């Protein structure tokens, strides 16, 4: 039983005991008073009647007549006169009449008044003894009314006391619930502060809890800052703050290996007349020009969630994701670079841009050569120019493709494949899922990643994600021994309320399977839709499933906003894993990430492991699991 209910029970019981005690004491006092009054009345009336008869020197006939007249007044239950020898001279007894007071009340509280007795005499001669008992009906009626009034008064007092008790308990309950909620949040890896209540005991508890949360947040913030320094020193250019060449090429290689890379674009940017500027302006001024270039690149990269880097002395690169209009990005970028460099370069050319589309499985060296050729062609014009390698490839009609996707989802032309995630001892942790569609008119299964650009343009990603989750829950329900399945969600799904409503219904209807389901959200989507993601995590965890971040590390500078989400796992982006055996700085960074995540109760996985060398480098980082081409199903 909760403390709140125990306090309520204690208040109710103590109030009832107090009311019953007060009622009993008052009733017994009233009965005692009425009994004494009846006894006194009996004695007084008997004495008065005996005195009157004695003064009248009454004989037996006079006694009988006087007693009968007095009895007929209706105020007496018994009047008896006996002579000195014990013979009854006259006796009048009132017959039993219906009472207006309940019989049980009379039996429970009898008024045992003492009968009044007096001697009747004639001079010095004793005529007899008079015994008189007054009628008690009026006394019982008065006692009954008194008890009823007491019950009403005490009942009203009890209700008032209950209301005041409720007010006091509510005043205690609300801050107590806040403290309990804070403790629950800490256990679920959400570190939030609460308002300090005015109740002294709860105030001390809340201050202690807030102090603990503040220390934890400070510790995690310091760890995150230290890790950010490590990440920047390993992967970023010290002058411009952009990604360095090694990190960018790793990102590019990873993008080329990813099946959903179609539509992404590589932009190479060159500062015009770099050598001439250096001779004319000097190194400090040229460095400021490079910083201005980097600032414009970084600003445009943040707007479209691209990766910007400095890959040479005067060369920069921008990796623009698929759904973004790369041509518009390039035009706006060039205009921004011209404006930023105008104070130093004057009216001459400021920048040249070469661009080219990425294709899955394409050779990185070939891609770089093609885009570099476009960059050279732009430079050859001698003006601020954009050149594209190869032009745009023909694409399918997007509306028709969207209709085919909807038809395939509605018709159940969907299947799901899974790949193992193993711990570093080779044991299965769970399996990552990928979903495929068979469109009408084809006999080939195609990954839904191929349709991501169309899916995002036509708001189809929530439907595809729901289909993937439905398949995963079905597989988990049919295979109770399966450790778990992980499904990756899109940014559109996380911020879609209808998607969340349908998802929660599915999880509630499949509770046993839902406990083994893991939902993975890209880090960029979580950072971009932080409030929606916070609500999403809370709802999914209440439904029993686990939630984590995928592609973790690309936006690490913003990860301090994620400390209070209660995440279950992190999946580090493959760009940090690629070539890990050759990067001591990245090894130290990933080891620190794992350490901080474990302190927050999260598991850490590495994605995209392609060979045994990377796997060996991860063994010392404290990761909980790995996936990728080098990871095979345990035998």
């Amino acid at each position: 039983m909760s403390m709140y209910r125990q306090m309520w029970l204690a208040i109710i019981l103590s109030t009832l005991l107090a009311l019953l005690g007060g009622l009993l004491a008052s009733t017994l006092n009233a009965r005692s008073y009425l009994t004494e009054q009846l006894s006194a009345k009996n004695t007084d009336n008997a004495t008065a009647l005996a005195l009157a008869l004695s003064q009248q020197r009454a004989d037996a006939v006079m006694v009988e007549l006087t007693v009968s007249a007095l009895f007929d007044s209706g105020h007496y239950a018994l009047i008896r006169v006996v002579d000195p020898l014990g013979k009854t001279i006259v006796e009048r007894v009132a017959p039993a009449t219906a009472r207006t007071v309940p019989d049980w009340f009379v039996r429970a509280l009898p008024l045992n008044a003492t009968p009044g007795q007096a001697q009747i005499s004639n001079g010095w001669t004793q005529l007899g003894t008079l015994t008189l008992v007054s009628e008690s009906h009026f006394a019982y009626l008065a006692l009954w009314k008194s008890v009823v009034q007491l019950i009403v008064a005490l009942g009203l007092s009890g209700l008032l006391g209950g209301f005041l008790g409720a007010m006091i308990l509510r005043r205690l309950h609300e801050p107590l619930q806040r403290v309990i909620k804070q403790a629950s949040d800490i256990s679920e890896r959400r570190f939030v502060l609460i308002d300090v209540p005015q109740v002294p005991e709860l105030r001390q508890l809340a201050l202690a809890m807030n102090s603990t949360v503040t220390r934890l947040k400070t510790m995690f913030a310091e760890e995150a800052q230290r890790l950010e320094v490590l990440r920047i020193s390993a992967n970023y250019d010290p002058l411009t703050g952009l990604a360095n060449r090694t990190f960018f090429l790793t990102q590019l290689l990873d993008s080329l290996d990813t099946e959903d890379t179609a539509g992404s674009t590589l932009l190479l940017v060159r500062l015009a007349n770099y050598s001439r500027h250096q001779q004319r302006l000097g190194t400090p001024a040229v460095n400021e020009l490079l910083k201005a270039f980097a600032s414009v690149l970084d600003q445009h990269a943040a707007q479209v969630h691209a990766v910007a880097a400095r890959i040479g002395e005067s060369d920069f690169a921008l990796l623009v994701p698929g759904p973004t209009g790369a041509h518009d990005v390039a035009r706006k970028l060039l205009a921004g670079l011209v404006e930023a460099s105008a104070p130093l370069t004057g009216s001459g050319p400021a920048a040249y841009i070469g661009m080219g589309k990425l294709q899955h499985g394409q050779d990185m060296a070939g891609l770089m050569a093609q885009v570099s050729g476009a960059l050279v062609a732009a430079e050859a014009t001698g003006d601020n120019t954009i050149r594209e390698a190869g032009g745009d490839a023909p694409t399918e009609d997007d509306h028709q493709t969207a209709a085919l996707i909807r038809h395939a989802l509605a018709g159940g032309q969907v299947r799901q494949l899974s790949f193992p995630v193993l711990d570093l001892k080779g044991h299965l942790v769970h399996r990552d899922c990928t979903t495929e569609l068979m469109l009408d008119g084809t006999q080939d299964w195609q990954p839904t990643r191929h349709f991501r650009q169309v899916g995002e343009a036509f708001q189809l990603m929530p439907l595809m994600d729901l289909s993937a989750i439905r398949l995963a829950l079905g597989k988990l329900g049919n295979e109770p021994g399966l450790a778990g399945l992980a499904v990756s969600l899109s940014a559109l799904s996380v911020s879609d309320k209808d998607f969340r409503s349908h998802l929660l219904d599915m999880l509630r209807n499949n509770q046993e399977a839902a406990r083994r389901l893991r939902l993975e959200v890209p880090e960029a989507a979580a950072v971009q839709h932080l409030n929606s993601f916070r609500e999403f995590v809370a709802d999914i965890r209440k439904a029993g499933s686990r939630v984590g971040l995928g592609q973790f590390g690309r936006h690490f500078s913003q990860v301090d906003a994620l400390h209070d989400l209660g995440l279950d796992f992190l999946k580090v982006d493959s760009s940090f894993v690629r070539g890990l055996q050759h990067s001591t700085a990245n090894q130290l960074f990933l080891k620190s990430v794992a350490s901080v995540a474990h302190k927050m109760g999260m598991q850490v996985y590495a994605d995209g492991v392609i060979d045994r060398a990377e796997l060996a480098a991860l063994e010392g980082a404290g990761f909980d699991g790995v996936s990728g081409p080098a990871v095979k199903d345990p035998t």
Side-chain angles (χ1 to χ4, degrees):
M1 185 182 295
S2 68
M3 184 178 72
Y4 185 71
R5 291 183 178 178
Q6 292 182 44
M7 293 175 68
W8 254 119
L9 184 60
I11 289 176
I12 292 173
L13 290 177
S14 61
T15 303
L16 286 176
L17 288 174
L19 294 178
L20 290 175
L23 177 63
L24 181 60
S26 299
T27 302
L28 292 177
N29 287 335
R31 187 186 73 160
S32 176
Y33 172 77
L34 290 173
T35 301
E36 291 175 358
Q37 292 297 310
L38 279 175
S39 298
K41 180 177 179 293
N42 289 340
T43 301
D44 291 344
N45 288 352
T47 301
L49 179 59
L51 181 60
L53 290 173
S54 296
Q55 290 176 348
Q56 295 176 3
R57 300 180 181 276
D59 55 12
V61 175
M62 179 63 71
V63 169
E64 183 175 359
L65 290 174
T66 303
V67 167
S68 296
L70 181 64
F71 182 81
D72 289 341
S73 67
H75 296 292
Y76 301 96
L78 169 68
I79 301 178
R80 181 190 301 121
V81 180
V82 298
D83 62 17
L85 298 177
K87 181 180 178 180
T88 301
I89 298 174
V90 61
E91 182 180 53
R92 293 289 185 270
V93 180
T97 57
R99 300 177 183 272
T100 57
V101 178
D103 291 336
W104 62 265
F105 183 77
V106 174
R107 291 193 297 270
L109 297 169
L111 298 175
N112 298 317
T114 303
Q117 289 188 340
Q119 301 296 323
I120 304 173
S121 61
N122 186 0
W124 294 100
T125 304
Q126 182 179 353
L127 293 180
T129 301
L130 173 66
T131 302
L132 183 146
V133 178
S134 297
E135 176 60 60
S136 60
H137 172 71
F138 298 105
Y140 276 115
L141 183 59
L143 181 61
W144 171 254
K145 289 181 178 178
S146 174
V147 170
V148 170
Q149 290 172 355
L150 279 172
I151 291 175
V152 172
L154 293 175
L156 292 175
S157 300
L159 290 176
L160 179 59
F163 174 75
L164 294 176
M167 297 293 291
I168 294 172
L169 282 181
R170 182 177 300 174
R171 182 172 178 267
L172 296 174
H173 183 255
E174 291 180 359
L176 182 60
Q177 285 298 108
R178 291 200 299 269
V179 173
I180 294 173
K181 178 67 165 54
Q182 184 184 37
S184 176
D185 287 342
I186 291 175
S187 68
E188 295 181 358
R189 300 177 295 280
R190 294 195 297 268
F191 305 99
V192 294
L193 298 175
I194 61 172
D195 295 332
V196 178
Q198 298 300 318
V199 182
E201 292 80 1
L202 294 180
R203 180 181 180 85
Q204 294 177 7
L205 178 59
L207 286 172
M209 295 286 285
N210 279 347
S211 176
T212 300
V213 169
T214 301
R215 286 197 301 270
L216 288 172
K217 291 175 70 173
T218 301
M219 180 186 71
F220 292 139
E222 290 174 351
E223 288 286 347
Q225 186 176 5
R226 185 173 65 85
L227 292 178
E228 179 67 2
V229 171
L230 286 175
R231 186 179 75 100
I232 290 175
S233 64
N235 301 297
Y236 285 78
D237 176 59
L239 175 63
T240 62
L242 299 180
N244 59 27
R245 180 181 179 86
T246 302
F247 181 77
F248 181 80
L249 293 180
T250 302
Q251 292 271 9
L252 179 59
L253 182 60
D254 183 62
S255 296
L256 291 171
D257 287 342
T258 303
E259 293 184 1
D260 57 352
T261 190
S264 298
T265 306
L266 172 62
L267 273 65
L268 294 182
V269 182
R270 177 167 294 166
L271 172 61
N273 302 318
Y274 174 74
S275 299
R276 188 183 305 169
H277 292 325
Q278 197 167 34
Q279 293 175 0
R280 183 173 62 87
L281 301 174
T283 300
V286 171
N287 286 344
E288 291 302 317
L289 181 59
L290 292 172
K291 290 179 182 179
F293 255 58
S295 177
V296 174
L297 278 161
D298 190 49
Q299 188 178 35
H300 283 76
Q303 291 174 358
V304 296
H305 303 290
V307 179
R310 183 188 182 192
I311 60 174
E313 202 171 31
S314 60
D315 289 344
F316 299 85
L318 195 67
L319 183 57
V320 183
T324 308
H327 290 87
D328 289 339
V329 172
R331 284 192 292 270
K332 293 178 181 178
L333 175 62
L334 183 59
L337 293 174
V338 170
E339 182 180 356
S341 61
L344 292 175
T345 61
S347 59
Y352 313 113
I353 298 179
M355 58 186 296
K357 296 289 185 181
L358 277 66
Q359 300 294 330
H360 173 57
Q362 184 178 11
D363 177 62
M364 186 174 69
L367 173 66
M368 290 294 291
Q370 291 177 11
V371 181
S372 295
L375 178 62
V376 171
E379 188 175 15
T381 64
D383 198 0
N384 299 313
T385 307
I386 301 172
R387 287 287 183 267
E388 183 174 4
D392 292 332
T395 59
E396 295 182 81
D397 182 80
D398 289 343
H399 289 278
Q400 182 181 0
T401 302
L404 291 174
I405 292 173
R406 289 191 184 94
H407 189 270
L409 293 172
Q413 295 172 305
V414 188
R415 73 175 184 181
Q416 197 168 62
L417 306 177
S418 64
F419 305 95
V421 177
L422 307 182
D423 62 21
L424 294 176
K425 294 182 179 179
H427 302 138
L428 182 67
V429 178
H430 63 264
R431 301 184 71 85
D432 283 341
C433 293
T434 181
T435 309
E436 296 183 339
L437 298 176
M438 181 185 290
L439 303 186
D440 286 350
T442 69
Q443 296 297 319
D444 297 327
W445 291 99
Q446 302 180 61
T448 54
R449 294 189 300 269
H450 289 179
F451 309 111
R452 184 176 297 275
Q453 189 169 356
V454 174
E456 291 182 349
F458 289 86
Q459 304 294 312
L460 296 177
M461 294 309 300
L463 292 177
M464 288 193 275
D465 287 344
L466 282 175
S467 179
I469 293 170
R470 189 177 295 110
L471 290 173
L473 289 173
K475 186 175 181 64
L476 289 169
N478 294 330
E479 300 182 25
L482 184 59
L485 291 176
V487 177
S488 180
L489 305 180
S490 68
L492 287 176
S493 298
V494 173
S495 57
D496 189 303
K497 292 185 178 180
D498 289 338
F499 168 84
R500 191 185 310 172
S501 176
H502 285 93
L503 172 58
L504 291 175
D505 289 340
M506 292 167 58
L507 297 180
R508 295 188 190 105
N509 294 331
N510 300 272
Q511 294 184 4
E512 193 283 328
R515 285 193 288 270
R516 291 178 288 139
L517 179 68
R518 292 169 170 83
L519 298 178
E520 178 184 321
V521 178
E523 181 191 52
V527 171
Q528 184 179 3
H529 307 283
L530 187 57
N531 291 332
S532 298
F533 183 62
R534 179 176 283 107
E535 296 174 1
F536 178 84
V537 173
D539 290 342
I540 298 305
R541 285 181 57 82
K542 286 180 183 177
S545 296
R546 302 181 185 181
V547 186
L549 290 181
Q551 300 175 2
F552 180 78
R554 293 187 179 185
H555 300 81
F556 192 81
S557 60
Q558 297 169 288
V559 80
D560 58 332
L562 308 177
H563 68 273
D564 62 343
L565 295 178
L567 298 172
D568 293 288
F569 65 89
L570 303 175
K571 183 174 285 186
V572 174
D573 188 67
S574 58
S575 60
F576 292 96
V577 178
R578 191 62 54 85
L580 182 63
Q581 66 274 24
H582 305 301
S583 175
T584 304
N586 269 345
Q587 291 177 24
L588 180 59
F589 169 67
L590 293 185
K591 185 175 182 178
S592 300
V593 167
S595 175
V596 172
H598 288 155
K599 290 177 183 177
M600 298 176 69
M602 292 184 285
Q603 295 178 314
V604 188
Y605 306 123
D607 192 20
V609 180
I610 62 172
D611 55 37
R612 297 295 302 175
E614 291 177 354
L615 194 59
L618 285 168
E619 290 182 357
F623 274 48
D624 299 290
V626 293
S627 64
V631 179
K632 306 299 181 183
D633 277 304
T635 55

